[in-house]
Amino acid sequence: MSTRASEETPPAPPPAAARSAELYARALPLLPGGVNSPVRAMRAIGRDPIFVARGEGCELIDVDGNRYVDYVCSWGPLIHGHAHPEIVRAVSDAAALGTSFGAPTPGEVELAAEIVARVPSVEMVRMTSSGTEATMSALRLARAATGREAILKFAGAYHGHVDGLLAEAGSGLATQGIPASPGVPEAAAKATIVVPWNDRDALVAATNHYELAAIVAEPYPANMGLVPPQPGFLELLRERADHNGALLIFDEVITGFRVAPGGAQDRSQVIPDLTIMGKVIGGGLPAAAYGGRRELMERIAPAGDVYQAGTLSGNPLAVAAGLKTLELLDATAYATLARTTELLADGLREAIRAGGWFGRAHVASVPGLLTVFFRRDRVKDYADAAACDRDAYAAWCRALLARGVYPPASQFEAWFPSLAHDEAAVERTLAAATAAFAAIDADGSGA
Ligand SMILES: *Cc1c(COP(=O)(O)O)cnc(C)c1O
């Protein structure tokens, strides 16, 4: 109860970011870099991390009480925003029945049926706890099914921190991967062939030259910023995989259940052999999956001989969150998310003009995803993305955070609008974005 006296003498508010700073100082000697996953540290935009107290719909509230319109949304899973009451209830109802059994439960059969109903390529599915694990398992299956070892991936694509896929290309031509991190065996990276995204000639050359177990691709890459395929490129992937005798694997960890009910394959009607899913499928709890044609998936133990297992796979809490998340994703939801993304993307294009950045920044978008690239020309591959003005992006992000908008803290990540982002939130975002563009020019940090 507030009394007149206490209203007259409010406690002095803590200095901005005091508690975040304190927690970061405590975290640094306890957690590498003070965090449990690198981008959260915000080093790419030259500032310290923000410690989160809670989320509400489209907003994050940090430990210092600052509110932000959140466009990270846990890097994709929160398509319904934070703490959606029905999802929270589904999880707590499940938790009351026991958190894990290491035995089958009814929910996972329902979730599998729901996935199969939505994703064109998937007849059978195996749940895992992370996208990384799902990728690793899909590659093992592809190698078992083809009797081959080499995997073709695209430069700038991210498929989790799987050893062999932490490999990057040189420039231009297809190259055999060199490890992108210490600790990755050379042999693992060597089995990875890296080709520039959207480069038809390099793809044809590589698929003529190497015997591949699989071509793995994010159908709409979103880990070098959002770089959609050029017309016909996904069709070429399908054709070249068939020509080569390789499986085509779509990593739909980001695009799955987001860009359309059945992901990018649903939108493009290019159907892969195997599909990797994650993020949205767990509704904010740890869940991922891989799936495909029955005859391939029946190679997985105990139906078949390819071993793969997980103590928490198909965890009942994660399954409950995933099921409720999918249940709430009806046709209306997809139309709404597409419209919100369009409002935001068009508004950001206008903010670029109004803020004085026309010709120096642009927006790439598909329903549910967008990236503001600090570069004049359209980004078609990783080399283009890497050529963006990352200092300007960093300055703009810092300016957005100061104005109550929480963007992904890297030029190489996508924005994740959610169904909790209403028009008022988008308007607040666009006002902040315009002011942030003007501010970074005014203080010279982006010029
Ligand atoms: C996030 C991501 C992964 C890895 O998923 P984790 O759950 O973080 O292991 C794999 N592929 C893509 C496309 C991703 O965006």
Side-chain angles (χ1 to χ4, degrees):
M1 287 264 113
S2 71
T3 66
R4 187 163 279 278
S6 71
E7 271 166 22
E8 279 162 11
T9 53
R19 292 216 55 219
S20 252
E22 199 178 291
L23 284 163
Y24 186 43
R26 273 184 70 198
L28 274 171
L30 295 169
L31 300 162
V35 293
N36 274 312
S37 197
V39 207
R40 299 174 193 176
M42 294 192 163
R43 291 186 179 187
I45 62 162
R47 57 156 296 155
D48 290 346
I50 292 169
F51 283 72
V52 174
R54 63 182 204 279
E56 270 176 30
C58 70
E59 288 190 319
L60 270 187
I61 297 100
D62 73 15
V63 291
D64 293 297
N66 300 303
R67 298 181 90 95
Y68 307 89
V69 184
D70 181 15
Y71 288 101
V72 172
C73 286
S74 188
W75 304 99
L78 302 182
I79 200 163
H80 299 294
H82 295 277
H84 188 289
E86 289 190 54
I87 298 170
V88 171
R89 192 173 328 117
V91 173
S92 67
D93 287 354
L97 301 176
T99 54
S100 182
F101 307 108
T105 58
E108 59 198 299
V109 184
E110 257 184 80
L111 182 55
E114 194 58 43
I115 294 166
V116 167
R118 287 177 191 238
V119 186
S121 67
V122 176
E123 291 177 348
M124 273 186 127
V125 64
R126 167 62 60 87
M127 303 280 308
T128 63
S129 297
S130 73
T132 297
E133 204 190 341
T135 303
M136 200 184 80
S137 311
L139 296 188
R140 182 179 303 143
L141 174 55
R143 284 172 166 144
T146 59
R148 298 170 171 188
E149 290 206 351
I151 305 287
L152 185 147
K153 69 154 278 195
F154 293 92
Y158 179 67
H159 305 290
H161 58 96
V162 178
D163 265 353
L165 297 187
L166 285 180
E168 260 168 340
S171 57
L173 297 171
T175 50
Q176 253 173 338
I178 49 161
S181 166
V184 172
E186 224 165 275
K190 270 216 174 103
T192 306
I193 313 303
V194 188
V195 167
W197 181 244
N198 278 325
D199 187 333
R200 302 177 68 97
D201 293 344
L203 175 64
V204 170
T207 46
N208 280 337
H209 188 266
Y210 298 98
E211 282 200 341
L212 301 168
I215 296 175
V216 59
E218 297 180 67
Y220 299 163
N223 284 290
M224 48 176 143
L226 174 69
V227 186
Q230 288 174 350
F233 195 67
L234 293 183
E235 288 78 1
L236 186 66
L237 291 185
R238 180 68 273 178
E239 183 193 315
R240 294 313 297 175
D242 291 341
H243 176 85
N244 187 278
L247 299 187
L248 179 60
I249 305 177
F250 276 179
D251 178 348
E252 299 231 40
V253 170
I254 282 180
T255 50
F257 314 104
R258 172 173 286 276
V259 301
Q265 58 194 270
D266 189 3
R267 263 173 76 83
S268 66
Q269 288 302 311
V270 175
I271 309 303
D273 300 294
L274 292 174
T275 298
I276 304 165
M277 293 157 277
K279 297 193 171 124
V280 169
I281 213 184
L285 272 81
Y290 61 105
R293 282 199 307 282
R294 179 163 294 107
E295 107 245 14
L296 281 171
M297 290 305 291
E298 282 188 333
R299 288 292 303 270
I300 301 295
D305 55 352
V306 178
Y307 193 72
Q308 190 265 313
T311 302
L312 292 176
S313 296
N315 173 265
L317 272 57
V319 164
L323 257 178
K324 183 54 75 178
T325 294
L326 293 187
E327 196 185 304
L328 294 169
L329 284 171
D330 57 11
T332 315
Y334 285 102
T336 304
L337 187 61
R339 186 163 169 276
T340 301
T341 313
E342 200 179 298
L343 270 180
L344 188 62
D346 286 346
L348 286 167
R349 289 178 185 113
E350 184 49 39
I352 287 169
R353 275 188 289 271
W357 279 75
F358 186 72
R360 293 181 291 164
H362 73 274
V363 181
S365 66
V366 297
L369 293 168
L370 67 86
T371 296
V372 180
F373 283 115
F374 276 68
R375 185 177 194 273
R376 189 191 62 189
D377 299 320
R378 232 169 52 145
V379 171
K380 68 175 182 324
D381 60 16
Y382 181 61
D384 287 352
C388 286
D389 185 346
R390 281 182 264 168
D391 291 340
Y393 182 83
W396 186 61
C397 286
R398 293 194 304 270
L400 282 175
L401 285 165
R403 289 165 178 79
V405 173
Y406 190 98
S410 162
Q411 177 69 91
F412 301 122
E413 305 280 0
W415 291 43
F416 295 97
S418 81
L419 288 157
H421 289 78
D422 57 12
E423 275 185 41
V426 171
E427 272 169 33
R428 261 167 73 198
T429 305
L430 297 176
T434 308
F437 276 117
I440 59 173
D441 237 5
D443 68 16
S445 46

